[in-house]
Amino acid sequence: MVERLQLNPQFRGIGFTSQRTRNRMIERLVEQGIKNKAVLDVLRNLPRHLFVDEALSHHAYEDTALPIGLGQTLSQPYIVARMTELLLEKSPKKVLEIGTGSGYQCAVLSCLVANVWSVERLDSLLEKARQRIKTLNLNNVHLYHTDGSFGLASAAPFNAILVTAAPKEIPASLFDQLAEGGRLIIPVGDEQQMLSIFDKQDGKLMQTDIQPVRFVPLLSGAN
């Protein structure tokens, strides 16, 4: 599904959006241990600069998190790549993302899986993400304005759930909405956070801790 990005050559741009700049980002990701070629290809071609304010565009391909307003951030490329790589190990066709944010992680997923559902509690962020997704013609994305701590029961079950904000405790709804054989990828904790995966096998959850991380907290509330 990576080839859909080739339909948008106008987004390759020049200067800070040049292919050389993107290639340097990919080289860093490889050095950091990212191995999945499909993930690397998507991050190489997807215009990350479209997912931040214009004033921050020159930082778009650096390995750093960037503010997107309302106390939220666009995760650094390494974290996006690593979480996506972990998700693809299960070859999911139906994925739920908790925390649309800028829409970047959602867009990455849409190029690699059949269908993506994504929920966001902050309406202004969701509307910006919706416009970006539309601009890129990513038609397999379904966006919802709702509290991510409840998941999205109306579309469950999901083969994989990816959470882009850290709860102190994992909402039980996410476990319930995960299909048998599915995988939940989530950062958990307060001051100290751990990125973990939970694989659902025979109705039970098998936990594997991946690495310490730092995400914004997962909050409740519609606005």
Side-chain angles (χ1 to χ4, degrees):
M1 301 182 71
V2 177
E3 65 272 9
R4 78 173 67 228
L5 291 172
Q6 306 306 321
L7 300 177
N8 297 292
Q10 68 270 33
F11 296 126
R12 291 182 180 276
I14 58 175
F16 60 79
T17 67
S18 71
Q19 199 61 48
R20 180 181 299 177
T21 301
R22 300 181 191 204
N23 288 343
R24 283 199 296 269
M25 180 182 73
I26 299 306
E27 290 169 2
R28 288 194 300 269
L29 291 174
V30 172
E31 291 171 357
Q32 291 171 298
I34 302 301
K35 297 181 174 64
N36 189 297
K37 184 179 184 301
V39 173
L40 293 170
D41 284 347
V42 168
L43 267 67
R44 186 193 309 274
N45 291 309
L46 190 66
R48 192 170 186 260
H49 60 280
L50 295 185
F51 292 85
V52 294
D53 290 340
E54 187 174 353
L56 295 172
S57 294
H58 59 292
H59 294 299
Y61 299 96
E62 298 173 3
D63 191 32
T64 185
L66 296 172
I68 58 173
L70 301 177
Q72 305 302 299
T73 60
L74 167 59
S75 294
Q76 68 186 99
Y78 170 76
I79 290 296
V80 173
R82 184 66 177 128
M83 293 178 75
T84 305
E85 191 174 59
L86 290 167
L87 180 142
L88 292 181
E89 288 178 355
K90 291 290 185 174
S91 301
K93 294 183 179 179
K94 185 178 179 182
V95 174
L96 172 64
E97 178 195 30
I98 304 296
T100 310
S102 70
Y104 181 70
Q105 174 74 80
C106 181
V108 170
L109 293 173
S110 76
C111 298
L112 295 162
V113 303
N115 284 284
V116 181
W117 281 258
S118 184
V119 301
E120 173 58 55
R121 58 181 285 274
L122 298 169
D123 188 52
S124 59
L125 290 184
L126 184 65
E127 287 308 307
K128 289 181 180 180
R130 195 184 303 278
Q131 288 302 313
R132 292 162 180 150
I133 295 297
K134 181 178 180 180
T135 297
L136 291 168
N137 297 316
L138 301 175
N139 300 316
N140 60 337
V141 175
H142 316 275
L143 300 177
Y144 288 81
H145 178 218
T146 189
D147 187 336
S149 63
F150 296 115
L152 192 64
S154 61
F158 300 95
N159 304 123
I161 300 176
L162 186 150
V163 184
T164 63
K168 294 180 181 179
E169 297 181 357
I170 302 173
S173 58
L174 301 187
F175 290 142
D176 295 339
Q177 293 171 28
L178 190 64
E180 178 64 27
R183 170 171 286 184
L184 169 65
I185 305 172
I186 184 169
V188 184
D190 190 4
E191 292 301 320
Q192 295 183 332
Q193 299 174 4
M194 177 62 67
L195 180 64
S196 300
I197 58 176
F198 294 83
D199 293 317
K200 196 169 189 177
Q201 300 174 6
D202 299 323
K204 298 180 181 179
L205 290 159
M206 309 295 292
Q207 179 178 351
T208 304
D209 291 337
I210 303 300
Q211 65 186 76
V213 289
R214 188 63 183 169
F215 280 78
V216 297
L218 179 66
L219 302 175
S220 296
N223 283 293

